[in-house]
Amino acid sequence: MKCKRCRKAAAAVDLPSHHSAFCPECFFVFFRRQVEEGIRKFRLFSPDDRVLVCVSGGKDSLVLWDILMELGYRTEGLHIDLGIEGYSARSREKTLAYASSRGKEPIVVDLHAEGVPIPEAAKRARKEECSVCGTVKRYFFNRVAAERGFTVVATGHNLDDEAARLLGNLLHWDADHLSRQHPLLPEAAEGLVRKVKPLWRVSEMETAAYGFLKGIDYVTEECPMSEDATSLIYKEALTLIEEEMPGTRRRFYQGFLDPKNRDVPGNPVADACREDASKDGKDIGEGGTPRKCNSCGAPTYAETCSFCRLKERVTKPQGRS
Amino acid sequence: MPQKKKEMEVPGPRRVADILADAGIRPTTVIVTQGRKLLTKDQRVEDGETIEILSVVSGG
Ligand code: SF4
Ligand SMILES: [Zn+2]
Ligand SMILES: [Zn+2]
């Protein structure tokens, strides 16, 4: 098969959802345009912004950092070492190796050092690992951004991630999550930085192909805590549909984002989305202006922010509070 | 869940798409590589050559 763009070189990447196939050079052009279009469409950020890129060491986040640097944005990487035996050390190593190959040094937050390694923190707080992980990550995204003057935080979620999440949210009519499922979440208050997902237009396969062709060495293993992730079921369902009807996943997610569809009268999703697209996490949700956490100063509606409450439960001697 | 990375010696000249179908792997969930090269699904692999099948699906 020949490349559908230059019609000279042999194709290396099939793109059935775009009815196309590209050679490596043309695929780079395609991928770059998709990401640029994704940034432009919702004005995720501008060249003046300082972008904090969350890099786990997996393919999506390293590809994200790579392409943003290539597009000339001002970026730094933030790696959160989750304190998960084996997996975290390997992820950190890949992240550092990638960064140094680009002459960068990421900011590293070590959850062991912070007193909240995910497995132990979850056990002591009697919560799911992923829920604890979410609280902790959100907290440090905001804190590092505020402390170091970043105007925006970027994560590597791709089209497949967002479409799967959308399907899950719709199946459960989760208006709260639907209202926050957008590639752009504006700054909600001082200290709650803008969050963006610049890869929302590219698929998981495209991201992997890009990473491979660019020679980016990423962690291929999954976080051991993710084993029963329901998101995989939604992904599988969408894959089934996508392979029968190429392009459906993209239309599904882009249709959700299309302002036209939000104005359909009586659409509960639209109402939820309109209500407030800028809520961020459990702390923020009551409306109004947040106050400062009396322990760390982070914005919150409670006396103490959810991170400090978690930390308190984790570091306190065992027993119920 | 399928393994993340699978190395495979190909029995007989075959198209990548057929190799994947035989292995019960959905073509859009993987990339198929040979050394530094990325293979399209219609590409033919010769008898005894080795390819790598890498799952692109992550739990996030
Ligand atoms: S799967 Fe691992 S990295 Fe992802 S949220 Fe759960 S604990 Fe955190
Ligand atoms: Zn080409
Ligand atoms: Zn706090």
Side-chain angles (χ1 to χ4, degrees), chain A residues 1 11-14 59-60 165 204-205 208-209 212-213 215 218 220 222 229 231-232 235 239-240 243, chain B residues 1 4-5 26-31 33 35-43 54 56-60:
Chain A
M1 199 186 343
V13 191
D14 302 293
K59 70 174 191 313
D60 301 304
R165 187 177 310 194
E204 204 143 51
M205 199 276 284
F212 176 81
L213 291 170
Y218 53 82
T220 52
E222 284 288 320
S231 69
L232 289 177
K235 279 190 177 176
T239 297
L240 199 75
E243 292 195 353
Chain B
M1 210 179 85
K4 269 262 123 164
K5 203 178 201 167
R26 298 199 166 274
T28 60
T29 63
V30 293
I31 55 173
T33 65
R36 294 287 314 129
K37 264 186 17 212
L38 198 56
L39 305 182
T40 53
K41 307 300 181 306
D42 73 334
Q43 225 148 331
L54 190 65
V56 302
V57 183
S58 58

Side-chain angles (χ1 to χ4, degrees), chain A residues 113-159:
Chain A
E114 296 289 338
V116 285
I118 297 302
E120 286 83 55
K123 209 172 291 160
R124 291 195 150 221
R126 299 170 206 237
K127 285 191 173 165
E128 296 281 340
E129 281 92 355
C130 295
S131 132
V132 169
C133 188
T135 302
V136 172
K137 279 182 188 162
R138 254 196 318 272
Y139 177 79
F140 282 106
F141 293 170
N142 285 321
R143 187 166 117 182
V144 171
E147 281 175 358
R148 304 198 186 215
F150 289 93
T151 47
V152 55
V153 169
T155 54
H157 297 90
N158 57 45
L159 175 64

Side-chain angles (χ1 to χ4, degrees), chain A residues 24-38:
Chain A
E25 282 315 308
C26 293
F27 176 67
F28 291 152
V29 174
F30 162 85
F31 192 87
R32 206 179 299 135
R33 281 194 186 149
Q34 288 294 324
V35 177
E36 277 180 313
E37 172 65 11

Side-chain angles (χ1 to χ4, degrees), chain A residues 174-187:
Chain A
D174 188 334
D176 186 37
H177 281 114
L178 283 165
S179 72
R180 278 183 272 123
Q181 202 192 339
H182 195 276
L184 168 73
L185 295 178
E187 184 179 53

Side-chain angles (χ1 to χ4, degrees), chain A residues 3 6 23 26:
Chain A
C3 170
C6 66
C23 73
C26 293

Side-chain angles (χ1 to χ4, degrees), chain A residues 252-270:
Chain A
F252 175 52
Y253 186 56
Q254 292 188 6
F256 168 68
L257 298 176
D258 191 334
K260 270 206 310 279
N261 295 337
R262 302 209 162 181
D263 288 335
V264 177
N267 178 352
V269 176

Side-chain angles (χ1 to χ4, degrees), chain A residues 186-202:
Chain A
E187 184 179 53
E190 173 137 11
L192 292 171
V193 70
R194 182 187 345 154
K195 311 242 168 33
V196 298
K197 296 170 182 170
L199 299 185
W200 67 273
R201 288 176 69 89
V202 293

